[in-house]
Amino acid sequence: MAGGERGNLFLRIMDRALGIPLVRVLGLFRKKGAPPQTLHSVGVLCLGCIGDMVLLSGPLADLAREHPGARLTIFCSRANQEAAQMAAGDALVVALPVKNPLKAAALVRQHGPFDVLLDASQWPRLGALLSVAARARFKIGFKSPDQHRHHAYDAAVAHSRGCHELENFRRLFTPLGITGQAIPRLAPLPGAEASLPGGHVPQRPYAVLHLFPGGYRSQMKEWPLEHWRSLVQKLLERGLPVLLSGGPADREPTDAFVRSIGSADVANLSGCSLNSVAVALQHAAVAISVNTGIMHLAAALGTPLVSLQGPTSTARWGAVAPPERHVALHSTLPCAPCLHLGFEYSCEDSACMRGIPVAAVLKAVESLLDRAAPEVP
């Protein structure tokens, strides 16, 4: 689930209470098949967050390399639709109404049949149920511990907490004989810059900051606003204008944050299209983000990046970027990191994020800018 669906407690309860028995029963009536020798049509389900779609762009590139003639259809959520479009290449992108499973299942069936359907969902049963409904000769999905969703597939791939999620996504394609090599890469779609404030990015080097994470209990991954405020002041003193990215729900709190700074060199991009934010990231001197989809997007665009990790492990969910373009800052608390699938918080407090000092972030920013082009001030 993505966006509001990921944080919706009712949908989570229904997904588990109804999804588990439905997947088990429907799986009993499916005769398992063998992987096809040739691929003419492939369906891929990615109903997760923006970060999932960004990471999946690497294995999708591997699929296109190995089977250049295959017709690809990406089924996504409305929340990660723009990320899917940036990752799609020549693929068809179909946004599914996640809150209406019957309509979503009808759409998946309508766009078949497929030689193969791959479900990249890690824990929700919805992806497994849509896989059951799909018209496909061979179905592949994750067998995640304690999630009881693997009965829907011909090939169930073990989902591991012992590797980065990119490696898990790569493993999903191994029943087709595809070896993962490509790293996540996206490109903004044409015309995206028009919806930016002023219709363009600043004409001098600038920083993009992403303050608010998304998903279940997102506040646990927030860096304190007073830390952000101090950081912005230091960046402005250095001569870097600041653009603040965020979703539509972040518009009001980000506006309040901008007013508290009181500088014309701080602009709010919250509510702009993801494509527009991608343009801003693509041309930024540096991006600073909590662990969320924008962090993965910045890495996939090649933007110099400082990521703030608290409950999230970089070994599991870190940005995929070379060390010369990425500095990850971690909590020093012994209980961190604690997340695997995204909901296993070990405490009720975000102390692990508060413990990341502003000085460490500034030092990381300086190290990245020192390696950058001469025009960075």
Side-chain angles (χ1 to χ4, degrees), residues 43-285:
V44 175
L45 278 165
C46 183
L47 306 180
C49 58
I50 291 170
D52 289 331
M53 192 68 247
V54 173
L55 293 176
L56 191 61
S57 67
L60 290 179
D62 292 322
L63 172 67
R65 182 193 69 240
E66 295 293 332
H67 300 275
R71 172 178 60 87
L72 175 63
T73 302
I74 301 173
F75 297 101
C76 61
S77 67
R78 288 168 180 163
N80 67 13
Q81 182 178 5
E82 285 187 276
Q85 290 167 336
M86 285 188 274
D90 296 330
L92 174 65
V93 174
V94 179
L96 300 178
V98 174
K99 294 183 179 180
N100 189 338
L102 291 178
K103 186 176 180 180
L107 280 170
V108 173
R109 287 192 62 80
Q110 173 188 325
H111 285 85
F114 301 104
D115 294 317
V116 173
L117 182 86
L118 299 103
D119 175 18
S121 308
Q122 302 97 329
W123 63 266
R125 270 58 56 173
L126 177 59
L129 290 171
L130 294 178
S131 298
V132 172
R135 293 186 294 151
R137 292 171 52 198
F138 193 72
K139 302 176 183 182
I140 306 171
F142 282 125
K143 182 178 182 180
S144 302
D146 302 320
Q147 300 309 306
H148 309 286
R149 58 186 315 280
H150 58 281
H151 309 283
Y153 311 115
D154 298 296
V157 177
H159 183 266
S160 172
R161 64 170 61 235
C163 64
H164 195 281
E165 198 63 6
L166 173 59
E167 292 303 323
N168 276 320
F169 285 145
R170 285 172 170 171
R171 290 177 182 179
L172 198 62
F173 290 73
T174 55
L176 303 177
I178 296 174
T179 302
Q181 299 177 13
I183 60 175
R185 281 289 178 263
L186 298 181
L189 302 178
E193 194 168 350
S195 70
L196 289 169
H200 57 79
V201 298
Q203 300 305 300
R204 57 192 173 105
Y206 60 90
V208 174
L209 277 57
H210 191 86
L211 281 61
F212 301 109
Y216 178 65
R217 296 181 68 187
S218 58
Q219 71 277 7
M220 300 294 290
K221 295 189 286 184
E222 289 183 8
W223 203 42
L225 285 180
E226 61 268 24
H227 286 21
W228 283 115
R229 194 172 292 112
S230 176
L231 175 65
V232 169
Q233 295 289 2
K234 294 295 184 181
L235 294 174
L236 293 175
E237 291 172 10
R238 199 190 192 283
L240 284 175
V242 173
L243 305 182
L244 301 169
S245 66
D250 302 325
R251 182 80 201 183
E252 188 173 328
T254 307
D255 274 339
F257 180 83
V258 171
R259 289 193 297 270
S260 74
I261 301 295
S263 171
D265 283 331
V266 181
N268 184 4
L269 305 185
S270 299
C272 290
S273 70
L274 189 69
N275 276 307
S276 298
V277 175
V279 169
L281 286 168
Q282 193 175 45
H283 297 285

Side-chain angles (χ1 to χ4, degrees), residues 359-375:
V361 180
L362 285 169
K363 182 179 179 181
V365 169
E366 293 291 344
S367 70
L368 290 172
L369 295 182
D370 285 346
R371 305 168 196 162
E375 66 266 18

